[in-house]
Amino acid sequence: MSSNAIGFMSYVRADDEHDAGYLTDFRERLSGEVRAQTGMRFDIFQDRHDIAWGQNWRERIRDCIESVNFLICIITPSIFRSDACREEFERFVRLERAVGRSDLILPVYYIDSPLLNDEAQRMADAVASLVAMRNYVDWRNLRFEPLSSPAAKKMLARLASDIRLAMDSRPVEGDPGRRLAFDSVA
């Protein structure tokens, strides 16, 4: 992957491994669908593919989060238990606010999470509360469908369309002539 990633996928590796690489395939198909709809490359950072042998993984992730335009957050019970995922989310929320946007975190509800479903638990957890304020894509039933199924392909097309619209939306706050850095990647 190039250093020009536009998206960052925050997820727990064990969830991807449990589902035989489904989340990795999801990332690849979403990236391809955005490219098909925009004609532009849309790289999505994923730790297992984008951190070189010997690199400091925490530093690489931090640097990447600070340079991407979207956080694609795969919601499972494990993500709320992962210190690294919680830190990624909190860091990106701060970056999103700094550019005056509130539409750059794209949650995908992948595995049912009691923490998110129960209001008392959700309100007691800062990250769960922030996630719950976002409109999410419900992938819980699609998780059992191949990504090549018509239902999954239609949902991926919808997600790519939503990303395309966010890419075309309003400029960065404080600099009316500057949009997010999407058009710099060809």
Side-chain angles (χ1 to χ4, degrees):
M1 171 198 234
S2 75
S3 61
N4 296 321
I6 295 175
F8 182 99
M9 189 168 83
S10 182
Y11 74 110
V12 174
R13 274 189 186 193
D15 294 333
D16 190 34
E17 291 166 359
H18 174 73
D19 283 349
Y22 191 94
L23 295 173
T24 297
D25 294 343
F26 171 87
R27 175 192 54 85
E28 291 170 357
R29 288 192 180 252
L30 180 59
S31 175
E33 183 64 28
V34 173
R35 183 179 186 130
Q37 289 191 26
T38 64
M40 297 183 307
R41 219 167 124 177
F42 187 85
D43 291 334
I44 301 171
F45 178 94
Q46 183 181 8
D47 64 343
R48 75 174 28 192
H49 296 283
D50 298 311
I51 299 176
W53 186 18
Q55 273 188 315
N56 179 320
W57 66 271
R58 285 187 190 273
E59 185 176 298
R60 174 76 171 110
I61 286 173
R62 186 192 70 240
D63 291 346
C64 185
I65 286 177
E66 292 177 4
S67 67
V68 298
N69 292 315
F70 291 101
L71 178 72
I72 300 163
C73 191
I74 308 299
I75 306 300
T76 68
S78 299
I79 203 164
F80 296 111
R81 297 183 185 277
S82 166
D83 290 338
C85 290
R86 293 176 72 82
E87 182 180 328
E88 291 162 5
F89 190 85
E90 290 169 339
R91 180 180 293 272
F92 199 84
V93 165
R94 288 189 300 273
L95 293 169
E96 184 187 52
R97 287 177 181 156
V99 296
R101 299 285 296 260
S102 62
D103 60 343
L104 305 177
I105 295 174
L106 310 171
V108 177
Y109 201 175
Y110 186 68
I111 298 176
D112 198 54
S113 175
L115 180 62
L116 204 55
N117 297 339
D118 180 85
E119 186 176 1
Q121 289 183 52
R122 181 176 63 242
M123 298 312 288
D125 184 280
V127 171
S129 294
L130 288 168
V131 168
M133 288 191 285
R134 305 286 173 146
N135 194 20
Y136 60 81
V137 170
D138 194 342
W139 205 275
R140 290 175 289 180
N141 288 329
L142 286 175
R143 169 181 172 220
F144 303 105
E145 297 288 331
L147 287 166
S148 60
S149 74
K153 288 173 75 172
K154 285 177 185 176
M155 183 65 81
L156 283 165
R158 188 185 119 208
L159 297 177
S161 178
D162 290 348
I163 289 170
R164 186 189 71 228
L165 290 172
M167 291 167 68
D168 291 339
S169 71
R170 69 185 185 279
V172 173
E173 187 175 280
D175 187 353
R178 181 174 164 258
R179 294 195 178 274
L180 296 173
F182 304 113
D183 55 8
S184 64
V185 181

Short mmCIF file of all heavy atoms in Angstrom, two decimals, residues 30 33-34 37-38 154-168:
data_model
loop_
_atom_site.label_atom_id
_atom_site.label_comp_id
_atom_site.label_asym_id
_atom_site.label_seq_id
_atom_site.Cartn_x
_atom_site.Cartn_y
_atom_site.Cartn_z
N LEU A 30 -14.30 -2.74 -0.59
CA LEU A 30 -14.72 -1.35 -0.40
C LEU A 30 -13.77 -0.41 -1.11
O LEU A 30 -14.19 0.53 -1.79
CB LEU A 30 -14.83 -1.01 1.08
CG LEU A 30 -15.28 0.42 1.41
CD1 LEU A 30 -16.65 0.72 0.80
CD2 LEU A 30 -15.28 0.63 2.92
N GLU A 33 -14.50 -0.59 -4.77
CA GLU A 33 -15.78 0.02 -5.13
C GLU A 33 -15.68 1.54 -5.12
O GLU A 33 -16.23 2.21 -6.00
CB GLU A 33 -16.89 -0.45 -4.19
CG GLU A 33 -18.26 0.06 -4.54
CD GLU A 33 -18.82 -0.39 -5.89
OE1 GLU A 33 -18.45 -1.49 -6.36
OE2 GLU A 33 -19.62 0.35 -6.47
N VAL A 34 -14.96 2.11 -4.13
CA VAL A 34 -14.78 3.56 -4.12
C VAL A 34 -14.00 3.98 -5.36
O VAL A 34 -14.35 4.96 -6.02
CB VAL A 34 -14.10 4.05 -2.83
CG1 VAL A 34 -13.77 5.54 -2.91
CG2 VAL A 34 -14.96 3.77 -1.61
N GLN A 37 -16.26 4.00 -8.34
CA GLN A 37 -17.23 5.10 -8.35
C GLN A 37 -16.60 6.48 -8.51
O GLN A 37 -17.29 7.43 -8.87
CB GLN A 37 -18.08 5.08 -7.07
CG GLN A 37 -19.05 3.92 -7.03
CD GLN A 37 -20.05 4.08 -5.90
OE1 GLN A 37 -20.35 5.17 -5.44
NE2 GLN A 37 -20.57 2.95 -5.44
N THR A 38 -15.31 6.60 -8.19
CA THR A 38 -14.67 7.92 -8.26
C THR A 38 -13.61 8.02 -9.35
O THR A 38 -13.22 9.13 -9.72
CB THR A 38 -13.98 8.27 -6.91
OG1 THR A 38 -12.92 7.32 -6.68
CG2 THR A 38 -14.98 8.27 -5.77
N LYS A 154 -24.48 -4.69 -3.08
CA LYS A 154 -25.29 -3.47 -3.05
C LYS A 154 -24.92 -2.60 -1.85
O LYS A 154 -24.85 -1.37 -1.97
CB LYS A 154 -26.78 -3.83 -3.00
CG LYS A 154 -27.31 -4.33 -4.31
CD LYS A 154 -28.77 -4.74 -4.20
CE LYS A 154 -29.26 -5.35 -5.50
NZ LYS A 154 -30.64 -5.85 -5.38
N MET A 155 -24.69 -3.23 -0.70
CA MET A 155 -24.31 -2.45 0.48
C MET A 155 -22.94 -1.82 0.29
O MET A 155 -22.73 -0.67 0.66
CB MET A 155 -24.34 -3.32 1.74
CG MET A 155 -24.03 -2.54 3.00
SD MET A 155 -25.25 -1.28 3.41
CE MET A 155 -26.48 -2.29 4.19
N LEU A 156 -21.99 -2.55 -0.27
CA LEU A 156 -20.67 -1.98 -0.54
C LEU A 156 -20.78 -0.79 -1.50
O LEU A 156 -20.11 0.23 -1.32
CB LEU A 156 -19.72 -3.04 -1.12
CG LEU A 156 -19.16 -4.02 -0.10
CD1 LEU A 156 -18.56 -5.24 -0.80
CD2 LEU A 156 -18.13 -3.35 0.80
N ALA A 157 -21.65 -0.91 -2.50
CA ALA A 157 -21.85 0.21 -3.44
C ALA A 157 -22.43 1.41 -2.70
O ALA A 157 -22.04 2.55 -2.97
CB ALA A 157 -22.76 -0.23 -4.59
N ARG A 158 -23.35 1.17 -1.78
CA ARG A 158 -23.93 2.27 -1.00
C ARG A 158 -22.88 2.93 -0.13
O ARG A 158 -22.80 4.16 -0.04
CB ARG A 158 -25.08 1.75 -0.14
CG ARG A 158 -25.83 2.88 0.53
CD ARG A 158 -26.89 2.42 1.48
NE ARG A 158 -26.50 2.94 2.78
CZ ARG A 158 -26.81 2.40 3.92
NH1 ARG A 158 -27.48 1.29 3.98
NH2 ARG A 158 -26.44 2.96 5.04
N LEU A 159 -22.04 2.12 0.53
CA LEU A 159 -20.98 2.67 1.37
C LEU A 159 -20.01 3.51 0.53
O LEU A 159 -19.61 4.60 0.93
CB LEU A 159 -20.21 1.56 2.08
CG LEU A 159 -21.00 0.70 3.07
CD1 LEU A 159 -20.11 -0.39 3.62
CD2 LEU A 159 -21.58 1.55 4.16
N ALA A 160 -19.64 3.00 -0.63
CA ALA A 160 -18.73 3.73 -1.51
C ALA A 160 -19.36 5.04 -1.96
O ALA A 160 -18.69 6.07 -2.03
CB ALA A 160 -18.35 2.87 -2.71
N SER A 161 -20.65 5.01 -2.24
CA SER A 161 -21.36 6.23 -2.63
C SER A 161 -21.35 7.26 -1.48
O SER A 161 -21.12 8.45 -1.71
CB SER A 161 -22.80 5.88 -3.02
OG SER A 161 -23.51 7.04 -3.36
N ASP A 162 -21.57 6.78 -0.25
CA ASP A 162 -21.52 7.68 0.91
C ASP A 162 -20.12 8.28 1.07
O ASP A 162 -19.98 9.47 1.39
CB ASP A 162 -21.93 6.94 2.18
CG ASP A 162 -23.41 6.60 2.22
OD1 ASP A 162 -24.19 7.11 1.38
OD2 ASP A 162 -23.80 5.77 3.08
N ILE A 163 -19.10 7.48 0.86
CA ILE A 163 -17.72 7.98 0.95
C ILE A 163 -17.49 9.02 -0.14
O ILE A 163 -16.92 10.08 0.11
CB ILE A 163 -16.70 6.82 0.87
CG1 ILE A 163 -16.76 5.99 2.16
CG2 ILE A 163 -15.30 7.35 0.61
CD1 ILE A 163 -15.98 4.70 2.11
N ARG A 164 -17.94 8.71 -1.34
CA ARG A 164 -17.79 9.66 -2.46
C ARG A 164 -18.46 10.99 -2.13
O ARG A 164 -17.88 12.06 -2.37
CB ARG A 164 -18.39 9.06 -3.73
CG ARG A 164 -18.12 9.92 -4.96
CD ARG A 164 -18.90 9.46 -6.17
NE ARG A 164 -20.30 9.79 -5.91
CZ ARG A 164 -21.33 8.97 -6.07
NH1 ARG A 164 -21.15 7.78 -6.53
NH2 ARG A 164 -22.56 9.37 -5.79
N LEU A 165 -19.65 10.95 -1.57
CA LEU A 165 -20.34 12.19 -1.19
C LEU A 165 -19.57 12.96 -0.12
O LEU A 165 -19.48 14.19 -0.19
CB LEU A 165 -21.76 11.87 -0.71
CG LEU A 165 -22.72 11.39 -1.79
CD1 LEU A 165 -24.03 10.92 -1.15
CD2 LEU A 165 -22.96 12.46 -2.83
N ALA A 166 -19.02 12.25 0.85
CA ALA A 166 -18.21 12.93 1.89
C ALA A 166 -16.95 13.54 1.28
O ALA A 166 -16.51 14.61 1.69
CB ALA A 166 -17.85 11.95 3.00
N MET A 167 -16.40 12.86 0.28
CA MET A 167 -15.21 13.39 -0.39
C MET A 167 -15.52 14.68 -1.13
O MET A 167 -14.69 15.58 -1.21
CB MET A 167 -14.65 12.35 -1.37
CG MET A 167 -14.05 11.14 -0.70
SD MET A 167 -13.74 9.75 -1.82
CE MET A 167 -12.43 10.38 -2.85
N ASP A 168 -16.74 14.79 -1.64
CA ASP A 168 -17.15 15.96 -2.41
C ASP A 168 -17.75 17.07 -1.55
O ASP A 168 -18.09 18.13 -2.06
CB ASP A 168 -18.20 15.56 -3.46
CG ASP A 168 -17.61 14.69 -4.55
OD1 ASP A 168 -16.38 14.71 -4.73
OD2 ASP A 168 -18.39 13.97 -5.20
#
